Amino acid sequence: MGRWRLLRLLGPPWGHPVPKATVLHRRNASSFPLPRQPLPPLAQTMAQYLRSLEPLVSPEELEQTKQLVAEFVAPGGEGERLQARLQRRADRMDNWITDWWVQSAYLENRLPLAVHSNPAVVLPKQDFSDWKGQLRFAAKLIAGVLDFKAKIDHQTLLVEYSRGYPLCMDQYARIFGSCRLPGPKHDSIFLPPPGRRPPTYITVARNFQFFQLEVYNSDGTPLTVDQLHWQLQRIRAQSWKTDKEPLGVLTSDHRHTWGQAYTTLMRDKLNRESARAIQRSLFTVCLDAPVLKVSDARAASRLAAQMLHGGGSHSNSGNRWFDKTLQFIVGEDGSCGVLYEQAVAEGPPIATIIDHVLDYCKDPVPVRAPLIPLPLPKKLYFCFTPEIKRDIEHAKQYLDILITDLDINCFTYLEFGKDLLKRHKLSPDSVLQVALQLAYYRTHGELGATTESASLRRFHRGRTETIRSATSAALAFVKAMADNSCQAPERLSLLKEAVEVHSTLTEQALNGLGIDRHLLGLKLEAIADGLRVPEVFMDTSYAVGSYWKLSTGQVAARTDCVMCYGPLVPDGYAVCYNPLPSHINFAVTAFNCCQETDAEQLARSLQKALDDVGALLGNVGCATNQEEEEEGS
Ligand code: COA
């Protein structure tokens, strides 16, 4: 069923975006029905698929793929049969792709969660520089998270909007108390069983030791900041020894290896109880040990590394449980961040929690602590058999190699932010994606398949769709930039054309009419029915078109932070960014083992590309920021 027909059936307000100022904002998350994600028409997807290949494959490969597509979509062909099956699935399920997507993108992926999957958010450095400040800040942070959680529990969380559309708030209900569980063939997700009393504790990790910390008083009120601070001091006193096995690194291993080690670990009753306590806790707070200082130029990238993987088995990686959905990290030097597992939620809800928590930390609600003694935080003990020690040794080695291999470059682009691009009547996200194409082309002499995440939260239980940002229009623009005979007006016109094409793809993706989830659905439908995988999914073009050399995403937050994660392919990059009104934070990663990629080089190329885009737009970036400051003073 086409989107517009679906929306008409659902009636207002779904047929039209809601203006931002409408009072609908006041409706809470639990009372909002959303439309079902549409299934795009087959012919439309396949035509778009062919267009997406144009800048990436040779004319001969494209010709061959065109023939395969023509056979696939022919009346009575394989495509029609699979589409009909997929339509039946869409009719009977509340979301036809989400479960398959979570399974194939996350739970069946056997690569380690560390670096390869879990994204981290680097938060602005806080104003403390010793363990006392660390504990005080961590206490406020926990109180802030509980304050946010109370909105979910009391169903007062307000519905979020994007581009005027209300978004599905489902992910929030799963973030707390959930955990990924390793399995021999695929993982699963532990969610708090509905109807049962939810957990009332968090876990705190320090010096590779885990503690169960009750965060509610017996009357159900959350512990106050002072109470939490007191309890964290007690945890510190109990965890001063540093000679412990970094058990947490097991969770950073290849999923199959961790799955096997997990089976060994869980044979022991004590281990089972302790591991389950971590898995079922609301969230984890990692109190990191001090790390080596680096030069100011490397500080942002070093911080990102600490948040993403903990810095190695000798550093803070043993303070993590990579399977845990939500982990807050607080160092002694004012560093802080978030590491999360994304099978249950994407970046945007995490960014919303972060915005709330950091606002709360600036101005915590003063509450007088009740005069009742608090139970001692419970240390979670583990029994380390020789087999488990061997597994930890293996995981340590693997993680340290992975960490050495990761190249991270974080930087802030200061010449302009999203406000300038908005004044030029351009979508900031589309401009950044086109600039990224320019940076990649200048570094590699060609475009590479690029995935950008677009939210499908306009729909019930929607997750993400891919925007394929490497377009023919982007190729025309980057070639014009390389052609000295091409004048600025023509380049500007090609830039605007490329931005327009990206914006159209973005709208299609946000409306549930992107191509990648549909292609996945068709392929999985064939597999589920025991049919042969259609030829169209087996040819070179299909592999090249989805070999994501550039894995990108915008995770916008009010907080001056940036998210980062590792590349999807060994010879690729990941680029994540947070566009703020007058500057943009970027995190670029690549693998050192690949000779062709270099995060620092791409980062430099990206800065130059943004400068050039700014210049094409009239080189008003700096001037405009200055003007703004003058206006403000
Ligand atoms: N003229 C003027 N202003 C424009 C414009 C134009 N042509 N196009 C967009 N803008 C404005 C928008 O109104 C918006 O204004 P705001 O800052 O007041 O809200 C701002 O520019 C930003 O819009 P834009 O850059 O186009 O993109 P977006 O913020 O809508 O983001 C996506 C686009 C695809 C990134 C977003 O919709 C999305 O899906 N985010 C989730 C991504 C995700 O899941 N990431 C997870 C990775 S782990």
Side-chain angles (χ1 to χ4, degrees), residues 75-181:
E78 254 176 326
E80 242 183 30
R81 278 199 299 279
L82 292 174
Q83 176 79 355
R85 285 170 192 265
L86 214 44
Q87 186 60 64
R88 283 200 288 280
R89 181 179 166 88
D91 292 341
R92 72 171 188 274
M93 296 187 74
D94 58 3
N95 189 302
W96 59 272
I97 194 64
T98 284
D99 294 343
W100 270 353
W101 166 247
V102 170
Q103 197 71 21
S104 69
Y106 304 121
L107 302 180
E108 282 172 8
N109 191 339
R110 305 280 72 200
L111 287 173
L113 295 185
V115 175
H116 290 288
S117 182
N118 286 8
V121 186
V122 189
L123 298 179
K125 211 146 191 209
Q126 302 296 313
D127 188 19
F128 59 81
S129 54
D130 59 11
W131 66 266
K132 290 181 185 152
Q134 176 191 35
L135 298 194
R136 254 194 309 276
F137 179 75
K140 281 192 279 186
L141 182 140
I142 296 168
V145 183
L146 295 177
D147 190 61
F148 187 90
K149 187 178 168 292
K151 290 180 189 297
I152 302 174
D153 296 344
H154 302 144
Q155 301 187 349
T156 54
L157 188 62
L158 299 182
V159 172
E160 290 165 345
Y161 283 72
S162 173
R163 298 185 174 202
Y165 284 88
L167 301 181
C168 178
M169 303 294 281
D170 222 48
Q171 295 180 25
Y172 286 102
R174 294 154 192 254
I175 289 173
F176 295 102
S178 60
C179 192
R180 183 147 156 183
L181 305 177

Side-chain angles (χ1 to χ4, degrees), residues 20 162-163 340 342 346-348 418 422 425-429 452-455 464 467 506 510 554-555 563 565:
K20 274 193 180 160
S162 173
R163 298 185 174 202
Y340 75 95
Q342 49 183 346
E346 275 94 34
K418 65 175 176 175
K422 280 158 70 172
K425 304 270 174 282
L426 296 170
S427 151
D429 186 68
E452 181 194 1
S453 304
S455 175
T464 57
I467 305 167
T506 302
L510 294 172
Q554 175 189 145
V555 178
M563 179 171 282
Y565 41 79

Side-chain angles (χ1 to χ4, degrees), residues 581-592:
S582 54
H583 66 272
I584 308 159
N585 295 330
F586 285 97
V588 181
T589 59
F591 289 115
N592 288 316

